[in-house]
Amino acid sequence: MKYSDKIRNIAIIAHIDHGKTTLLDSLLRQSKLFRDNQDIPERVMDSFDQEKERGITIFAKHTTIPYEDYKINVIDTPGHADFSGEVERILGMVGSVLLLVDAQDGPMPQTRFVLSKSLALGLKPIVVINKIDRPSADPDRVLNETFDLFTELGATDEQLDFRYIYASGLSGFAKKTLEDPSTDMTPLFDLILEATPAPGGEVEEPFLMQAATVSYDDFLGRQVTGRIVRGVVKKGQTLIHINGDGKATNFTVSKLQGYLGLKKVDIDEALSGDIVIISGLPEEATIGDTITDPRKPEALPAIKIGEPTLSVDISVNSSPFVGKSGKHVTMNKIKDRLLREKKANISLRIEMKDEVDKVTVAGRGELHLSVLIESMRREGFEFSVSKPRVIIKEEDGVKCEPVERVYIETPEEYSGKIIEEISLRKGEMQHLSTSEHGITKLEFLVPTRGLMGLRGDFLTMTRGLGILTAILEGYTPWKGNIAGRTKGVMISGCPGKTNGFACFNLQDRGVLFVKPGDEVYEGMIVGENSRDNDLIVNVTKAKQLTNVRASGADENIILIPPRQLSLEQAINYIEDDELVEITPAQIRLRKTFLTENERKRKEREVKN
């Protein structure tokens, strides 16, 4: 038996929150990788801080589970559409995918997206009907809906004859039929071994591998992870790196690592079919590059990744509070950090333009960009971010913009408001249906511009009971102007510290973003005006004190709590003449030009 016959490479794909990481937790726990008394956190694969806080997977991660005398390499993938680039690039490494479908919700929009990608690559998915122990689960209906989805996506006869299993990742059991006892994950382990083809590849042939994941180590330099297509690799071996332009560079393998459970382990050699980490590559090595043997150099086809749809400008923080909480404030530091991100994150596009004071960063969506911005903020960077812009294409001389297919589930009484709001944002309804339980399902085609800021309004409109998912559909001719923010802002007219007296007098004018005791500067946005014009206010004005005693006590001041904007909300809230000031301690909104004179001068220049 060949070595690769004992290897199975598989990825877990699903819609967001259908239980990928929880199911993998159960597989890891039952694989005897951990001691009985070892403390294992929930969602153990979500090791990145933001993944734990947001409750979602952001980066694809590798693990290896030993089962009997087999080695199962498992890749946990994100379920959110903004991180679909992570899914696209790792599917070429695996022999099959576990497609998780919620036993209550059934196939969801992102299920369709990840399934279409895997079917296009010729993979034969294993369907896992997860969460079958939920009170309202209906596994039979969900299985039929999943089969219908396979048919709709043009699956081949062989792909339509998919294997399936029922499971509960949280309770830690899987079973082939609903009547079987609920014991452990053994049926799922056995099904993976049966239904996933061995990776193949001849050990005697010269070495060949494609980089699917890229990382950087301060001591080891550039590292790439990928599946060995054929041959053997050893520590200290000389190989050739071929980039996307066909340029070949010799290098020596300084370190070779594999996975065991959650850990990286040093190994001396690896054979075809295995997933390994190779260190010592040239600095410019990136995802999709080929690593091959000098005896038979061969370049593999590049990995195709969907293009970004939104971009923001990142510039130095020019506010009076610059450097108060951040360590890295210069443009050189910001550029170095973004260049490091560009090497590891293939779905981001980072452009250093002629302007010395800003960098344009393009990504898949607001969440994709905000994860990068939040990471930099936590690393001690200070900078300013512009309003997101959609990336325009020209097709046959026609100006085109990205359009997204939006799926909405909401209680019936809120559907009218939603239809009205999305119509104002140039959305076109494609489908509407209401179930006997009073849940309305809506489907729209909406320009990406129209989706900016919609999620916050959507949660307000549906009292938090609605679900909204958007997936890029393609490009459509420019839809014309879309109304932006309908209200103006309150701008601080002077620097200082806010106080309760000024806040109390201003709260009738709109909604404040600051509380008493906050430091403000001229040009900083301190609230939302109740009207459509911008208003310059003095939020630092204190009550006039006299030495004359009043006959009655001062009136009791009752302040409305200020509106706290999250990073995504702040980026969506601003207009073209405004910026979000990002610091490790605070997120502030400001006008691009801080003084009233500068703003008026700019207005006159635009008119002329």
Side-chain angles (χ1 to χ4, degrees):
M1 182 182 283
K2 291 193 298 186
Y3 171 78
S4 62
D5 290 342
K6 290 288 184 179
I7 296 175
R8 297 292 183 271
N9 297 323
I10 197 160
I12 302 183
I13 60 172
H15 183 81
I16 187 169
D17 204 31
H18 275 199
K20 298 179 297 301
T21 309
T22 308
L23 183 89
L24 189 49
D25 275 3
S26 291
L27 291 172
L28 285 164
R29 282 190 172 89
Q30 294 182 27
S31 63
K32 305 291 187 290
L33 275 168
F34 304 108
R35 300 188 314 273
D36 292 338
N37 64 344
Q38 190 169 340
D39 181 34
I40 310 162
E42 274 188 31
R43 296 189 5 260
V44 68
M45 291 295 284
D46 286 348
S47 53
F48 184 52
D49 284 349
Q50 289 190 59
E51 291 178 320
K52 292 173 185 173
E53 290 164 22
R54 295 172 186 264
I56 60 172
T57 301
I58 293 173
F59 302 112
K61 290 177 214 66
H62 308 257
T63 185
T64 298
I65 302 174
Y67 178 69
E68 295 177 350
D69 56 344
Y70 285 83
K71 182 179 183 181
I72 303 173
N73 293 316
V74 186
I75 304 171
D76 183 23
T77 66
H80 200 286
D82 279 20
F83 308 109
S84 50
E86 294 282 319
V87 181
E88 290 169 322
R89 65 186 169 85
I90 60 90
L91 287 178
M93 292 167 60
V94 298
S96 184
V97 289
L98 288 181
L99 176 71
L100 260 69
V101 187
D102 190 301
Q104 177 183 322
D105 298 338
M108 297 286 276
Q110 190 65 13
T111 315
R112 170 189 294 270
F113 176 81
V114 292
L115 178 59
S116 65
K117 293 289 179 190
S118 54
L119 291 177
L121 286 169
L123 299 175
K124 190 175 175 184
I126 300 166
V127 175
V128 181
I129 311 292
N130 194 28
K131 305 187 184 181
I132 60 167
D133 50 353
R134 289 178 74 175
S136 49
D138 189 353
D140 293 333
R141 170 185 62 82
V142 168
L143 184 60
N144 290 333
E145 288 176 359
T146 307
F147 182 84
D148 293 343
L149 180 60
F150 270 72
T151 310
E152 195 179 322
L153 293 173
T156 64
D157 291 344
E158 191 183 359
Q159 288 171 329
L160 282 171
D161 187 25
F162 57 82
R163 304 287 292 274
Y164 62 89
I165 197 165
Y166 303 100
S168 169
L170 194 62
S171 303
F173 68 81
K175 47 190 182 180
K176 290 184 177 178
T177 67
L178 292 168
E179 293 74 35
D180 290 351
S182 305
T183 50
D184 57 18
M185 284 290 181
T186 303
L188 180 54
F189 277 121
D190 292 338
L191 183 58
I192 290 171
L193 298 186
E194 289 171 32
T196 307
E202 293 299 325
V203 176
E204 294 78 19
E205 289 281 314
F207 178 77
L208 184 64
M209 179 180 124
Q210 188 164 37
T213 307
V214 173
S215 56
Y216 187 83
D217 186 281
D218 289 337
F219 301 102
L220 298 167
R222 172 65 69 227
Q223 297 178 305
V224 301
T225 304
R227 176 176 64 86
I228 302 172
V229 177
R230 63 168 193 240
V232 181
V233 61
K234 296 179 181 179
K235 184 180 174 182
Q237 185 176 345
T238 299
L239 297 173
I240 289 180
H241 161 256
I242 303 174
N243 68 11
D245 299 326
K247 180 189 170 189
T249 312
N250 284 21
F251 74 96
T252 302
V253 179
S254 58
K255 194 170 193 176
L256 191 62
Q257 293 171 295
Y259 290 93
L260 179 63
L262 305 176
K263 298 176 185 173
K264 294 177 183 176
V265 290
D266 292 354
I267 51 177
D268 291 325
E269 73 170 13
L271 311 179
S272 62
D274 215 345
I275 293 175
V276 292
I277 308 156
I278 294 177
S279 303
L281 283 96
E283 190 72 21
E284 68 274 8
T286 187
I287 290 159
D289 290 356
T290 304
I291 299 146
T292 183
D293 195 297
R295 292 175 294 163
K296 188 181 177 184
E298 179 186 338
L300 292 166
I303 297 172
K304 286 186 179 176
I305 298 289
E307 292 185 2
T309 55
L310 279 183
S311 71
V312 293
D313 289 334
I314 292 180
S315 53
V316 290
N317 181 14
S318 57
S319 88
F321 293 167
V322 61
K324 281 198 170 185
S325 62
K327 294 182 293 183
H328 311 300
V329 297
T330 64
M331 198 66 225
N332 283 344
K333 291 266 189 181
I334 293 167
K335 281 183 176 177
D336 288 346
R337 173 64 180 83
L338 290 171
L339 283 171
R340 283 207 314 275
E341 188 70 28
K342 187 177 183 177
K343 288 172 184 173
N345 195 337
I346 193 172
S347 48
L348 276 175
R349 195 165 71 208
I350 296 166
E351 296 171 359
M352 310 285 178
K353 293 193 176 173
D354 297 336
E355 297 98 329
V356 290
D357 59 344
K358 71 176 181 183
V359 180
T360 302
V361 181
R364 285 288 182 89
E366 301 150 33
L367 184 60
H368 191 201
L369 292 169
S370 70
V371 165
L372 168 65
I373 292 166
E374 180 65 23
S375 296
M376 291 175 66
R377 185 171 89 90
R378 293 181 184 199
E379 291 165 20
F381 284 86
E382 270 193 28
F383 51 93
S384 298
V385 178
S386 72
K387 181 180 176 65
R389 305 177 301 274
V390 295
I391 294 171
I392 307 300
K393 272 186 176 181
E394 200 161 294
E395 295 178 358
D396 303 326
V398 179
K399 181 182 175 186
C400 294
E401 64 175 325
V403 65
E404 306 198 27
R405 190 169 288 273
V406 178
Y407 301 86
I408 289 172
E409 279 189 31
T410 177
E412 190 178 2
E413 62 264 32
Y414 305 126
S415 58
K417 279 187 197 172
I418 291 164
I419 293 167
E420 183 183 353
E421 178 66 27
I422 293 182
S423 298
L424 292 172
R425 294 168 178 263
K426 306 285 186 184
E428 298 172 8
M429 188 190 290
Q430 305 293 303
H431 176 77
L432 183 150
S433 64
T434 304
S435 70
E436 65 271 18
H437 304 296
I439 299 295
T440 298
K441 289 189 176 183
L442 301 157
E443 194 177 310
F444 295 89
L445 284 176
V446 187
T448 301
R449 285 183 301 141
L451 284 177
M452 289 183 202
L454 175 63
R455 285 180 172 85
D457 295 343
F458 175 79
L459 287 174
T460 307
M461 283 187 286
T462 61
R463 306 289 189 271
L465 299 172
I467 299 169
L468 183 150
T469 309
I471 293 173
L472 182 67
E473 180 78 6
Y475 279 76
T476 187
W478 183 261
K479 296 272 188 179
N481 287 332
I482 294 175
R485 194 175 67 205
T486 54
K487 293 180 179 178
V489 289
M490 290 193 267
I491 308 161
S492 174
C494 59
K497 192 176 276 191
T498 60
N499 63 69
F501 176 76
C503 291
F504 179 71
N505 288 328
L506 286 172
Q507 64 187 13
D508 292 336
R509 295 289 193 96
V511 180
L512 288 174
F513 298 158
V514 292
K515 60 184 184 299
D518 285 352
E519 291 274 357
V520 298
Y521 53 82
E522 185 181 2
M524 179 173 156
I525 295 170
V526 294
E528 181 180 81
N529 191 7
S530 54
R531 299 185 180 182
D532 61 359
N533 62 305
D534 289 349
L535 186 67
I536 296 172
V537 298
N538 184 357
V539 79
T540 64
K541 184 181 179 182
K543 184 176 181 182
Q544 197 66 38
L545 299 177
T546 69
N547 60 357
V548 179
R549 293 179 65 183
S551 57
D554 284 346
E555 62 178 301
N556 189 25
I557 289 177
I558 299 172
L559 291 175
I560 299 165
R563 183 190 293 174
Q564 300 284 338
L565 295 177
S566 69
L567 179 57
E568 285 99 338
Q569 287 170 332
I571 291 170
N572 279 316
Y573 183 81
I574 58 172
E575 289 295 337
D576 293 331
D577 64 335
E578 296 162 1
L579 297 170
V580 181
E581 181 189 341
I582 310 285
T583 74
Q586 265 186 311
I587 295 169
R588 303 183 187 95
L589 307 184
R590 52 164 284 190
K591 287 290 182 180
T592 305
F593 298 98
L594 296 178
T595 66
E596 177 71 357
N597 285 340
E598 283 180 311
R599 291 195 290 273
K600 284 182 175 173
R601 191 182 303 123
K602 189 66 181 174
E603 276 178 35
R604 282 198 298 272
E605 285 174 12
V606 171
K607 283 177 185 174
N608 294 334

